[in-house]
Amino acid sequence: MAMMERIGVTKLHHHLLLLVLLLVVAAAGGGSVQAAEEDEMSGRRRRSRRRRAADVMVPITILNSAVDKGAVCMDGTPPAYTWTPGSGGGTGAGWPTERRRVCNNARTCRFRTASRHGSSDHMERRIAFTGIMSSAAADNPDFHSWNRVKIRYCDSGSFAGDAFDEGLKLQFRGQRIWGAVIQHLLDVGMASAEHVLLTGCSAGGLAAILHCDQLRALLPAAATVKCLSDGGLFLDAVDVAGGRSLRSYYGDVVGLQAVAPNLPETCTDHLDATSCFFPQNIIDGIKTPIFLLNAAYDVWQIEQSLAPNAADTSGTWRVCKFNRAACNASQLQFLQGFRDQMVAAVRVFSESRSNGLFINSCFAHCQSELTATWNGGSPALQNKGIAKSVGDWYFGRAEVKAIDCPYPCDKTCHNII
């Protein structure tokens, strides 16, 4: 049985909080419903293989009180989160959200309301916490004893929209969900947190960037508040046909979900709203310390931004984008250009001593929530794995500004294509 705001009775213990926003954006080309269903089943199989017997299954909490604030999932059901308390001497808190897609049109958005990505009625009642969310010291040495909270994703807009579509009868209330859940957590103990880390994967990595300064403003000045964006450095890149597939897709999302008012003013005061949905145009203006963890050859961006089916009409990239070994010299050169664009995008960002970087030359996407890539034989830069790099940066043990040499130099990668 799902917990109904039971955390309101059982207060957040200790003063450490890990908040995670884990989302994955949808295919820029707009696949079929059948393809979406197949992808969903494939994702379940991958998660099952990666899950270990020792993983703790954590129950859901339905936040019914948020409905009165208009903070609802796409189908009008209440938002939800999953929480596990800190232990021992833990004094921090973390927050992840599920890594799932955004939707940009009537067909894809309607489809999502029949799934956990658009309705809390369809969410799993228990999920495993692994990687940066793990409670095992061996797997997660720096954050295992923290309070860990994962916001469940059901708004399809990186927690940034605030609209109701009368024709579709769909709610896009991500910004309200963010506000309602954060206020609830503040009321039950987060207001006294001494250490907070907001993190997210994929579109959740984008959400962590968008909300980083907002969270900092709500917490005590004496608290250490930082943000980690994993696989969220989406680039406004040219695709293989010379167009900008992801820009077109993001433009639809920003318009459909009325995202513009919730974007950072440090960006919208000189750029259009769609440009300000791209992290490369936001990160230099964020005041709160941020760590960017990203694969230079981000497989989601290769498949859905650089070479989506709509741009690759001849099918030239059909094999390469799913198997790096099948790429010819011209295709590898194109991918090296994408890596160069990513490195250039973080140049000013990296000049801040408070920020951190771990950009490895792997064909991967999201590396913090899986034990294998977080700390179990993790990819390494400068002889330091991901968990150690993030921990050193967060606790100020070392400055971390690591950018890998170009592919194929890195032999520590967990490549997924």
Side-chain angles (χ1 to χ4, degrees):
M1 185 175 188
M3 288 195 299
M4 303 298 180
E5 303 180 44
R6 199 159 66 201
I7 194 172
V9 177
T10 306
K11 301 283 186 177
L12 284 172
H13 297 296
H14 312 298
H15 305 289
L16 302 172
L17 180 64
L18 178 63
L19 306 176
V20 183
L21 302 163
L22 299 173
L23 329 171
V24 172
V25 290
S32 66
V33 170
Q34 180 181 357
E37 292 172 340
E38 291 171 351
D39 178 74
E40 174 69 12
M41 291 300 295
S42 175
R44 288 176 184 169
R45 287 193 293 268
R46 287 194 298 270
R47 287 192 298 273
S48 178
R49 286 197 299 268
R50 290 164 175 166
R51 188 172 294 160
R52 303 185 311 163
D55 292 339
V56 175
M57 300 301 292
V58 184
I60 195 172
T61 297
I62 305 296
L63 192 60
N64 290 304
S65 60
V67 175
D68 291 339
K69 301 175 182 178
V72 293
C73 298
M74 293 172 63
D75 68 340
T77 54
Y81 63 89
T82 306
W83 164 75
T84 188
S87 61
T91 59
W95 175 354
T97 64
E98 290 186 281
R99 48 173 188 162
R100 289 293 156 199
R101 310 166 186 84
V102 296
C103 66
N104 70 324
N105 58 46
R107 178 178 52 79
T108 59
C109 292
R110 281 200 189 100
F111 173 71
R112 293 172 66 78
T113 60
S115 75
R116 68 181 187 275
H117 311 311
S119 171
S120 58
D121 284 349
H122 298 288
M123 292 176 181
E124 304 100 319
R125 267 31 198 173
R126 290 180 179 271
I127 58 174
F129 275 9
T130 59
I132 193 172
M133 297 297 284
S134 175
S135 59
D139 295 339
N140 190 24
D142 281 314
F143 306 109
H144 70 277
S145 63
W146 286 32
N147 292 286
R148 281 148 286 134
V149 182
K150 176 178 288 190
I151 299 181
R152 308 296 292 271
Y153 181 50
C154 65
D155 71 285
S156 296
S158 286
F159 296 97
D162 191 6
F164 174 69
D165 190 295
E166 183 66 38
L168 299 176
K169 303 299 181 185
L170 294 177
Q171 303 276 357
F172 300 106
R173 302 298 188 183
Q175 185 68 33
R176 296 193 190 194
I177 292 174
W178 161 268
V181 177
I182 286 291
Q183 187 57 59
H184 174 70
L185 294 174
L186 288 168
D187 292 344
V188 299
M190 190 174 73
S192 61
E194 297 173 0
H195 293 83
V196 175
L197 175 61
L198 172 65
T199 180
C201 159
S202 195
L206 167 58
I209 293 171
L210 290 173
H211 294 289
C212 191
D213 279 346
Q214 295 176 24
L215 182 64
R216 167 67 279 184
L218 294 171
L219 291 163
T224 298
V225 181
K226 299 185 179 183
C227 304
L228 164 63
S229 173
D230 175 14
L233 188 56
F234 297 101
L235 299 181
D236 187 2
V238 175
D239 61 36
V240 295
R244 293 184 181 271
S245 294
L246 191 55
R247 166 168 277 274
S248 176
Y249 187 84
Y250 272 9
D252 291 343
V253 174
V254 168
L256 178 65
Q257 303 201 28
V259 170
N262 300 316
L263 296 171
E265 291 184 5
T266 53
C267 181
T268 56
D269 63 4
H270 65 283
L271 292 176
D272 63 273
T274 299
S275 295
C276 295
F277 206 54
F278 283 96
Q280 68 192 76
N281 298 319
I282 305 170
I283 53 177
D284 295 345
I286 303 299
K287 298 177 182 178
T288 307
I290 297 180
F291 191 103
L292 297 179
L293 166 61
N294 227 95
Y297 308 94
D298 186 303
V299 296
W300 188 91
Q301 294 189 69
I302 292 173
E303 295 168 10
Q304 305 297 347
S305 175
L306 299 184
N309 292 339
D312 180 33
T313 55
S314 66
T316 305
W317 282 80
R318 193 165 298 154
V319 178
C320 168
K321 68 181 180 179
F322 295 114
N323 179 9
R324 68 189 188 284
C327 299
N328 61 36
S330 176
Q331 290 169 327
L332 287 174
Q333 184 178 13
F334 185 84
L335 296 178
Q336 298 293 14
F338 177 76
R339 172 201 175 267
D340 293 344
Q341 182 182 352
M342 184 175 292
V343 172
V346 301
R347 186 165 294 127
V348 174
F349 170 87
S350 67
E351 294 174 357
S352 170
R353 290 181 59 86
S354 65
N355 291 333
L357 278 172
F358 191 105
I359 298 181
N360 54 3
S361 291
C362 302
F363 285 77
H365 183 67
C366 289
Q367 301 175 88
S368 65
E369 273 225 334
L370 297 176
T371 299
T373 48
W374 174 245
N375 197 43
S378 161
L381 292 179
Q382 301 169 1
N383 296 316
K384 188 184 295 186
I386 293 173
K388 174 67 171 170
S389 297
V390 172
D392 282 355
W393 162 78
Y394 184 88
F395 292 105
R397 298 187 297 244
E399 188 172 342
V400 181
K401 303 285 175 60
I403 299 179
D404 212 350
C405 49
Y407 174 82
C409 69
D410 193 335
K411 306 304 180 185
T412 69
C413 288
H414 291 237
N415 294 307
I416 59 177
I417 66 168

